[in-house]
Amino acid sequence: MISNQNYRNEILPFSIEGTRIRGRIVRLSNVYHDLLETKQYPEIVANFIGELATLTILLADTIKYDGIFILQTQSDGPINISVADITHTGLIRGYALYDKVKLDKISAHPSVPELLGSGRLAFTIDQGGSKERYQGIVALEGNTLTECAQNYFRQSEQIETAIMITADPISKKAAAILIQKMPELNISPSPDDYLDKEQNYESWRNAVILMSSITKSELLDHKISSEELLYRVYHNEGVRIFNRKPIKYQCRCSSEKLGAVLASLSEKELEEMLDELGRVIAKCEFCNHDHIFDRKILKKIRTLKETL
Ligand SMILES: [Zn+2]
């Protein structure tokens, strides 16, 4: 049982006193364990899932939304698809699809170009119903997932961002920390602005240097609480810590939802999906659960469709 009071599955927002620097720290244990549990990922893929999940939690928390935040990659490398999504209530799930033959040919600690090849990283906010879907897409540029996300913030949001991510699939621990220099809200410029800017730049540089002093093993060490780690790093500057938010693993797939998808298919398409026992088995990529639709249920779905 992986459980420790100090090591919760959580995200903890913070700010550095007297600056416009905001940050977040994510630490996962059981959730990471659950993300891997139904899969037999090779270690490289399991590691990537941990990084993707922590990054998704970090990014989702920088946005106000009511629905689902989705982070996904689509590319031509050994991992060709990866997805992690999180609800505004903190329920996360994710998976990756990979090519085993290609994966066996790469190094043990691959860069993003090696692991994913070329492709894109997409951020989607789905608020359901008639509300607009927001999507931001960037090319997968950078050696690490962290660099790709930093590029996204620089290009699309124009927010200076520093991120550190680490995952250990053996101990089932993953963690990440992000700091961002929030934009100035100065509407009427004054002669002091120049000095302010200099000072802001200095405090940003300082915050980034201090953040990089955290080692990956400290970030993963469940004996050090998130608060303790932040105080340790930013005690000279002063760090304000906000309410922690718990993160849980949960897949949201359901036979109803998949039934609705099947109902939208033509009879011919459904026929082609039948197995030798006359059933359609729809596997959820996220949790590996088989949703089984036998002839009786399929008939019901078809009749339902005809009456619509
Ligand atoms: Zn599922």
Side-chain angles (χ1 to χ4, degrees):
M1 174 91 185
I2 306 161
S3 167
N4 186 302
Q5 277 210 314
N6 290 329
Y7 202 101
R8 304 171 199 179
N9 296 276
E10 64 182 17
I11 179 160
L12 195 70
F14 62 91
S15 68
I16 298 171
E17 299 285 5
T19 70
R20 297 197 60 81
I21 301 166
R22 302 279 177 277
R24 278 156 183 92
I25 181 165
V26 175
R27 300 174 103 192
L28 299 180
S29 55
N30 307 56
V31 166
Y32 187 24
H33 172 268
D34 293 345
L35 279 164
L36 303 179
E37 213 198 351
T38 60
K39 317 275 178 156
Q40 267 88 46
Y41 289 132
E43 203 178 317
I44 291 175
V45 182
N47 177 78
F48 181 78
I49 285 286
E51 294 193 354
L52 184 78
T54 50
L55 182 63
T56 304
I57 298 164
L58 279 181
L59 300 184
D61 204 58
T62 65
I63 302 159
K64 261 205 170 76
Y65 68 101
D66 192 356
I68 304 154
F69 174 86
I70 309 148
L71 184 63
Q72 53 193 323
T73 65
Q74 214 169 352
S75 53
D76 59 7
I79 291 183
N80 40 27
I81 286 179
S82 73
V83 188
D85 68 29
I86 183 164
T87 63
H88 66 277
T89 54
L91 303 176
I92 192 166
R93 59 178 189 166
Y95 72 88
L97 300 182
Y98 59 94
D99 180 323
K100 197 161 176 340
V101 178
K102 280 187 189 173
L103 202 65
D104 286 343
K105 289 184 190 147
I106 61 172
S107 66
H109 301 284
S111 63
V112 160
E114 260 185 291
L115 190 58
L116 303 183
S118 57
R120 52 194 208 151
L121 179 69
F123 306 75
T124 311
I125 301 164
D126 186 352
Q127 308 211 75
S130 54
K131 281 193 180 162
E132 215 181 313
R133 252 171 99 99
Y134 164 83
Q135 197 165 48
I137 296 172
V138 281
L140 277 168
E141 278 167 0
N143 271 321
T144 59
L145 203 54
T146 310
E147 274 181 32
C148 297
Q150 281 172 179
N151 287 341
Y152 167 77
F153 276 107
R154 208 161 290 139
Q155 288 167 23
S156 317
E157 310 286 320
Q158 294 179 338
I159 298 176
E160 283 293 336
T161 305
I163 309 174
M164 201 171 139
I165 301 178
T166 184
D168 177 11
I170 308 292
S171 67
K172 307 282 191 303
K173 289 194 178 71
I177 180 166
L178 159 147
I179 53 171
Q180 291 191 309
K181 186 167 163 274
M182 300 316 282
E184 308 295 325
L185 295 173
N186 232 340
I187 299 156
S188 51
S190 78
D192 292 336
D193 276 3
Y194 177 72
L195 281 174
D196 277 357
K197 271 199 178 119
E198 280 281 286
Q199 212 178 2
N200 283 343
Y201 180 69
E202 269 307 303
S203 47
W204 170 246
R205 240 172 56 111
N206 186 40
V208 174
I209 292 169
L210 287 172
M211 190 184 94
S212 356
S213 75
I214 305 174
T215 64
K216 290 195 166 178
S217 56
E218 279 175 323
L219 210 50
L220 292 177
D221 185 356
H222 62 170
K223 288 183 211 83
I224 313 168
S225 73
S226 302
E227 286 92 340
E228 218 179 310
L229 194 60
L230 291 172
Y231 284 128
R232 217 186 258 190
V233 179
Y234 294 118
H235 62 273
N236 276 335
E237 291 65 30
V239 56
R240 178 174 300 192
I241 288 166
F242 301 98
N243 286 343
R244 55 168 27 89
K245 297 170 203 166
I247 306 291
K248 287 196 182 105
Y249 168 83
Q250 196 183 92
C251 189
R252 302 184 308 279
C253 66
S254 73
S255 295
E256 280 96 14
K257 278 191 220 162
L258 284 164
V261 175
L262 293 181
S264 68
L265 302 176
S266 70
E267 199 153 330
K268 190 170 169 276
E269 282 170 315
L270 273 178
E271 284 298 325
E272 280 166 5
M273 288 170 75
L274 292 177
D275 68 2
E276 64 277 13
L277 296 172
R279 307 169 306 178
V280 170
I281 300 177
K283 186 183 280 302
C284 170
E285 296 284 11
F286 284 96
C287 68
N288 256 1
H289 182 80
D290 281 335
H291 295 269
I292 301 168
F293 299 87
D294 60 20
R295 277 187 200 283
K296 226 168 94 187
I297 302 170
L298 287 171
K299 202 174 162 216
K300 225 170 162 180
I301 289 174
R302 252 171 273 165
T303 337
L304 206 68
K305 191 183 160 192
E306 278 154 21
T307 54
L308 285 176

